[in-house]
Amino acid sequence: MNLPTLYTKRLIIRPLAVSDATDMFEYSQTNLVGPKAGWAPHININETYTILRNMVLFKPQYELGNWAIVDRQTNKMIGTIELYNHSPLFKAELGYSLNPKYWGLGIVPEATNEIVSYGFEFLSLKRIEVGIFVDNIQSKRVCEKTGFSFEGVSRNGYIRYDGIIFDKANYAMTKEDYFNRKYSR
């Protein structure tokens, strides 16, 4: 399946490209992004290039794909958003990362709303899930702002790249939740 390019007021949400390596490395090398999402900070641009190449060229069958979040004004790639662990016509999981220079501006909720719309309206998903570390306050706020419901905590539910085990907070939105929220605005 080819991923579409989606547009919001401030963003272009397009398929990730290997040419995004420089912009991705800018934020992937910091300790602020990867560890909160479960992956190690990138050591150098070559590592970012290799990871990006694998994400673009060798995506697993259960992964719908990764989009680049691009600032419409500057055309700079500032983050990623993905749907993975996909069961066609049933569910997928949502994940995202964002350059810390753009935190606090509502970028991830804006991108999330667009991807959620795509998931329910075009992929006919019944459910979209988000799993986050319980101490990831920014992601918790994204889930709350975009209409995801807290469903509980998986104790010791995630082992990170460095072997540290975390509790995982689970959020979800059903197709009914999405349409009720959409038409109640």
Side-chain angles (χ1 to χ4, degrees):
M1 167 188 282
N2 290 330
L3 294 179
T5 297
L6 307 169
Y7 299 89
T8 69
K9 183 176 179 181
R10 299 180 295 167
L11 306 173
I12 301 168
I13 304 167
R14 61 159 171 76
L16 204 52
V18 176
S19 59
D20 292 320
T22 301
D23 288 339
M24 180 182 268
F25 180 65
E26 180 180 314
Y27 67 85
S28 295
Q29 66 182 319
T30 75
N31 285 325
L32 296 172
V33 179
K36 287 187 175 194
W39 44 269
H42 296 186
I43 296 168
N44 56 47
I45 188 76
N46 291 332
E47 180 182 13
T48 302
Y49 175 79
T50 300
I51 289 168
L52 197 48
R53 186 174 165 274
N54 288 337
M55 289 169 76
V56 171
L57 299 177
F58 304 112
K59 71 178 179 127
Q61 193 171 19
Y62 61 84
E63 188 172 285
L64 275 168
N66 295 282
W67 286 269
I69 300 172
V70 178
D71 182 315
R72 280 182 94 152
Q73 287 189 328
T74 63
N75 207 35
K76 179 178 180 64
M77 185 272 223
I78 59 174
T80 62
I81 191 162
E82 66 179 327
L83 288 173
Y84 63 102
N85 287 343
H86 175 235
S87 297
L89 301 176
F90 176 50
K91 74 174 186 96
E93 289 186 50
L94 175 75
Y96 41 79
S97 63
L98 186 69
N99 187 324
K101 292 177 183 177
Y102 296 86
W103 288 3
L105 302 175
I107 300 290
V108 173
E110 187 173 328
T112 294
N113 284 330
E114 193 65 23
I115 294 298
V116 164
S117 249
Y118 174 72
F120 288 124
E121 295 191 28
F122 296 99
L123 298 175
S124 299
L125 295 177
K126 308 292 184 276
R127 177 180 172 85
I128 298 176
E129 302 172 343
V130 181
I132 62 172
F133 297 149
V134 293
D135 63 347
N136 188 336
I137 303 306
Q138 289 106 325
S139 283
K140 178 182 177 188
R141 288 185 38 79
V142 168
C143 289
E144 291 168 351
K145 285 180 182 179
T146 55
F148 282 82
S149 298
F150 176 70
E151 293 191 328
V153 173
S154 298
R155 294 178 300 142
N156 294 332
Y158 190 91
I159 186 165
R160 198 168 64 179
Y161 64 90
D162 55 6
I164 297 176
I165 296 174
F166 289 86
D167 291 347
K168 183 176 83 169
N170 302 299
Y171 290 82
M173 184 185 300
T174 65
K175 187 173 189 170
E176 292 78 16
D177 297 336
Y178 168 76
F179 281 107
N180 287 340
R181 186 168 191 256
K182 179 178 177 177
Y183 293 114
S184 68
R185 292 184 202 179

